[in-house]
Amino acid sequence: MAQRTTTEPKQPSRLQRAIAFLIRAHRTLREVTAATDHAAKLLQNVQAAWRNWVQETETRGDLRWT
């Protein structure tokens, strides 16, 4: 009976590993940037709502800092 030769899977070269790392890093940074942009928009909405609330309460005279 002949023995089958088992070939070990080839390991990726240094260049391939470096490219894969850079691709993963790029995707991660893109996701972080998108999340940061989203958070900034939410913060702007909260700030605008706060300003509107303060202006409305000042006009009505409801705003008391006690």
Side-chain angles (χ1 to χ4, degrees), residues 48-65:
W50 176 259
R51 268 188 252 109
N52 292 340
W53 179 81
V54 168
Q55 287 174 355
E56 288 173 9
T57 52
E58 282 178 340
T59 342
R60 289 191 314 236
D62 294 344
L63 192 59
R64 293 185 201 93
W65 299 101

Side-chain angles (χ1 to χ4, degrees), residues 22-53:
L22 290 173
I23 289 171
R24 283 193 309 274
H26 180 257
R27 286 180 186 152
T28 301
L29 289 175
R30 198 170 36 191
E31 291 171 2
V32 168
T33 302
T36 303
D37 291 345
H38 183 67
K41 287 178 187 175
L42 288 176
L43 180 59
Q44 288 173 349
N45 291 340
V46 169
Q47 289 172 329
W50 176 259
R51 268 188 252 109
N52 292 340
W53 179 81

